[in-house]
Amino acid sequence: MSSTLLDTLFPTGWAHYLAGGLLVGAGTALLFVCTGRIGGMSSVFSSSWSWLVRRPYFQATRYVETRGWRLVYAAGLIVGALVWWLGFTDGAALGTRVPAWQLLLGGFFVGYGARLSNGCTSGHGICGLGSLQLPSLGAVLTFMATAFLTANAVAFLSARFA
C-alpha cells in the first residue's frame, strides 16, 4: 500500500491498531486455553445486567452462574484501556467528531445485531472464527457486509446533504 493510502486510511497511524488487535487476540486465547471460557463481550454485558435486572432473559443460568468471572473480565478491559490512556497518550481527553445521536443510534443497532446473531463481533470474530465455528463465519460476513454498506451509505448521504 502506498504511504498516501495508509495515511488516508489510518490518519493517526496503524501500529496501535495492530498492537490492540494482537493484545485482544492474545487475551481471548489465554482465557480459552487457561479456563476453556469464551470471552465474547455481549455475554459479558448480559451477565453483568443479571445483577440488576430480574427479567427472565437476564436471569438465565448461563448468565447468573458466570457473572463473577465475566465482571472481572470486563473490569480488565476497562483497566487495560485506562493503562493505555495513562501510559501511552499525553493524557488529553479522547473525543470524536461523531454527533451523540449517531453514537446512540449506532449503539442501539450494534446491541440489537448482537442479540439477533447470538453474539457480538468479539465473540464471533475472535473466539468463533478462532475455534473454526461455521455459524461465526456467517455472522462475521454479515457484520462486515452491513458495516461496509452502512459506512458507504453514511459517507454518500453526508457528502450529498452537507
Side-chain angles (χ1 to χ4, degrees), residues 1-135:
M1 257 194 254
S2 71
S3 177
T4 306
L5 181 58
L6 280 176
D7 293 340
T8 302
L9 293 173
F10 304 103
T12 60
W14 57 268
H16 58 286
Y17 295 113
L18 176 61
L22 291 172
L23 288 171
V24 168
T28 56
L30 187 64
L31 176 69
F32 184 75
V33 168
C34 292
T35 67
R37 296 176 173 151
I38 297 174
M41 288 311 297
S42 61
S43 55
V44 169
F45 180 78
S46 296
S47 66
S48 298
W49 276 106
S50 74
W51 293 96
L52 302 171
V53 179
R54 298 292 171 217
R55 296 187 59 144
Y57 175 81
F58 293 106
Q59 293 304 311
T61 304
R62 67 182 179 150
Y63 296 136
V64 173
E65 289 182 354
T66 63
R67 63 186 178 190
W69 76 263
R70 291 182 193 278
L71 195 58
V72 172
Y73 186 68
L77 292 172
I78 294 167
V79 169
L82 180 64
V83 166
W84 174 82
W85 180 58
L86 294 175
F88 299 102
T89 69
D90 60 4
L94 302 175
T96 179
R97 292 179 294 189
V98 178
W101 71 270
Q102 287 180 349
L103 292 173
L104 290 171
L105 186 64
F108 170 79
F109 283 121
V110 166
Y112 179 75
R115 184 82 179 266
L116 186 66
S117 68
N118 200 24
C120 59
T121 52
S122 62
H124 285 297
I126 298 167
C127 304
L129 290 180
S131 59
L132 304 175
Q133 299 294 316
L134 191 57

Side-chain angles (χ1 to χ4, degrees), residues 130-157:
S131 59
L132 304 175
Q133 299 294 316
L134 191 57
S136 290
L137 177 60
V140 168
L141 291 174
T142 302
F143 294 155
M144 296 306 294
T146 303
F148 292 150
L149 289 171
T150 303
N152 282 292
V154 168
F156 173 78
L157 293 172

